[in-house]
Amino acid sequence: MTNSTVLSVEGLKTYFYLDDNEIAKAVDHVDFAIEPGETLALVGESGSGKSITSLSIMNLIEKPGKIVDGAIYLNGKNIVDLSDKKMTDIRGKEVGMIFQEPMTALNPVYTVGNQIIEVLRKHKKMSSSVAKKRAIELLKLVGFPRAEETIKEHPHQLSGGMRQRVMIAIAIACEPKLLIADEPTTALDVTIQAQILDLIDEMKHKFDMGVLLITHDLGVVAEYADRVLVMYGGQIVESATKQTLFNDPKHPYTNGLLASLPSLDKQTDRLGAIKGTVPPAHRFPKGCRFSTRCPHVMEKCLHANPDLIPESDGHEVRCHLFK
Amino acid sequence: MEVKNSEDNTRIAEDVLIQVEHLKKYFPIKGGVLKHTVGHVKAVDDVSLTIKKGETLGIVGESGSGKSTLGRMIIRLLEPTEGKIYFENDDITDLSNRKMRPYRKDMQIVFQDPFASLNSKMSVSELIEEPLLIQTDLTKKERKEKALNLLEKVGLRADDRNKYPHEFSGGQRQRISIARALAINPKFVIGDEPVSALDVSIQAQVLNLMADLQDEFGLTYLFIAHDLSVVKHISDRVAVMYLGRIVEIAPKDDIYNNPLHPYTQALLSSVPVTDLSKKSEKIVLEGDLPSPSDPPSGCAFRTRCPLAHDRCTTERPHLLNRDNGHSVACHLHDNK
């Protein structure tokens, strides 16, 4: 961690305590850091723990879930034990957030303007007239040419892509150093997806933010991320720069994911599907969590969960095949 | 099966399973105190196409393009406002539910959301046996046997038969939906976004399964999806829809290697790809899809088209064959 590190997550464990004394280890010892101007992608399938990781960072884990261990440094300050009240001051101010479904993230009964102004009034202590002016500027910045009229509209009057632009305007209103984008384009069509991801990238450069991009789409990772963490079973199984991950993937799960993708360029008769399904978080296999689906499974994998170890500079892999 | 109504026996080529002509679906918009019809959503607006026996026709388009409405009309789950639907040689456009029944056996659909499309109160064997009970004369024992056989075919275990849908993952439920669709040996299966709700590793399993079953049973597929890579993988030919119309249709290699319509070009360039060496220029389209209740005059795509000119405002381009089964509806490609 350097002085400028925006976010550093260390040894994060978020467990869910289920009925009949079972524990779902949704996030199980996760470490990573984000620097200013960097997009770090967290990629994985449903149940991999990627969204629980982002909710943990914002302290939005609800019962029966709990952060049981670890530290989360935001701009150098550990926020893991902060009170709800203190976290409310941080969310929206020091961390901007964009979620998958902008219709449920926006309040349907308030105008777009109200919802941006509310953030500016609360966190920036602006007067309503100053906040209104700033809201119009922000809407113009995210691509509403008629911002003076847009602030009077309600979310249902906007399309999905436009709602996501409003979410981005709210997220960057306080010029946070960290932006968390949790599947920001999953609900959008592909031509709109390109517009929104380009906008996030532009805002990242403009405000020198660190971006945590959570996605299941490896194509999005390849075009927009700088570094990538592949998650499986609540743990990081591979960590690398984008170039290394796509040119020289090591973990059998990463390779499986890449082989599962139908390609626009090449024609393959059969896709390299990974057998089986992701085990639920309270039924992880003993040993390596990918062992039940791995084509290279060895005796050792059934007993010992491998550590995340450096394979080369900046490239880490959690697999017994490598040491 | 009694006489299927067919006025013209030579209407359809031998190798064609389905032919639709000038199909339209307009949904009325009701307004005012008396709920008068104040306008129409033109969900599908004059679509003609053929699907050959044994082929997979893919339909891509964004939300609101009308691709699902088209699929549902073809198998008569929705009544068309105008147009004709032929199955093999028979006009099935206006058949009553009773007359439609023999054809239902030949056409099945697999929906996107396997959580919503399977009755949660029925066990897997009941789900798969239900179509057999309705459409065949098989005895109870034969139905059980057939269901077991199908379970195995779609990659589930025999002891799964007494379980209920909630006990399965999304991918497994989609396998159940497929087994149910195949139970009565259909000729034609529509997949309406059948893998969109699945994770990529599971999506690959289901796509492989669908390809295997097609080979084994000689099925004809209409595969509807928004994901261009998935459609490319599974299809033989691909149609691109925009605002209720087909803007381009061609054999898959032609459409992906040489897209002619500006919308197809933009759509293809917007797909993020994992090959880092292949960073092509993205054509980012301005704005959103216009409302299908008030589509632009002339060419529906002109409001977002980087190459639109005067003629596009006044004249609707027709879908014309340019080159060996490659058809495009765009004025730029007239007289070529």
Side-chain angles (χ1 to χ4, degrees), chain A residues 45 232 252-253 256-257 260 271-279 290-297, chain B residues 172 175 200-202 204-205 208:
Chain A
E45 299 181 280
Y232 187 85
Y253 177 62
L257 275 184
S260 301
L271 298 168
I274 306 173
K275 66 175 184 185
T277 51
V278 180
F290 188 56
S291 59
T292 49
R293 305 177 72 194
C294 184
H296 307 294
V297 63
Chain B
Q172 289 169 324
R175 290 173 188 271
V200 283
S201 70
I202 311 300
Q205 294 173 359
N208 285 343

Side-chain angles (χ1 to χ4, degrees), chain B residues 237-238 248-251 254 320-328:
Chain B
R237 283 191 306 136
V238 174
E248 187 163 4
I249 182 167
D254 292 342
L320 297 175
N321 190 1
R322 312 288 153 174
D323 173 31
N324 235 346
H326 193 157
S327 302
V328 59

Side-chain angles (χ1 to χ4, degrees), chain A residues 45-46 189 191 195 270 274, chain B residues 62-63 199 201 205 212 285:
Chain A
E45 299 181 280
S46 338
D189 282 316
T191 59
Q195 296 173 358
R270 287 188 76 75
I274 306 173
Chain B
E62 300 180 276
S63 354
D199 279 315
S201 70
Q205 294 173 359
D212 291 345
L285 289 178

